[in-house]
């Protein structure tokens, strides 16, 4: 898993409120989505989400990370769009 994909996955889990709904949105298995978030947490050394069988909630560290994730992912998406548009204009 690359860092950007982990960020996108984490944000999708928070947005959807569950691993299974995030998996549907991302067209991945719930197990892979869970694995990506667990790998992200392990690399960061902090718990981003509190999980139970009925509830998913974001931790304080998770909220801080999510805020920056949204900013970074948005900037990368904007950059890719700009470069893609430049490439199309050259053709």
């Amino acid at each position: 898993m690359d860092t950007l994909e982990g960020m996108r996955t984490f944000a999708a889990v928070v947005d959807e409120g569950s691993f299974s709904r995030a998996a549907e949105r991302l067209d991945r298995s719930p197990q892979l989505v869970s694995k990506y978030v667990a790998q992200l947490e392990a690399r960061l050394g902090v718990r981003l989400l509190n999980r139970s069988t009925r509830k998913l909630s974001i931790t304080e560290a998770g909220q801080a990370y999510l805020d920056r994730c949204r900013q970074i992912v948005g900037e990368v998406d904007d950059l890719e769009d700009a470069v893609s548009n430049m490439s199309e204009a050259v053709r």
Side-chain angles (χ1 to χ4, degrees):
M1 170 206 64
D2 79 1
T3 301
L4 195 58
E5 190 61 31
M7 290 175 160
R8 288 182 197 280
T9 301
F10 170 64
V13 170
V14 173
D15 290 346
E16 297 297 329
S18 81
F19 286 91
S20 59
R21 287 195 303 267
E24 287 177 24
R25 181 173 124 188
L26 299 170
D27 196 28
R28 291 182 171 45
S29 71
Q31 294 82 4
L32 185 59
V33 169
S34 179
K35 179 180 175 181
Y36 278 7
V37 173
Q39 286 176 343
L40 196 57
E41 290 176 323
R43 192 167 45 76
L44 295 170
V46 66
R47 191 162 204 66
L48 300 172
L49 297 168
N50 291 316
R51 305 155 177 84
S52 73
T53 55
R54 296 183 179 257
K55 189 176 175 187
L56 181 71
S57 63
I58 192 165
T59 64
E60 186 177 335
Q63 185 62 56
Y65 190 73
L66 178 65
D67 294 342
R68 289 301 309 262
C69 281
R70 291 190 196 284
Q71 181 181 10
I72 291 166
V73 169
E75 288 177 10
V76 169
D77 289 344
D78 290 347
L79 175 61
E80 288 179 348
D81 288 344
V83 170
S84 179
N85 290 338
M86 289 172 64
S87 175
E88 290 173 8
V90 170
R91 289 185 204 154

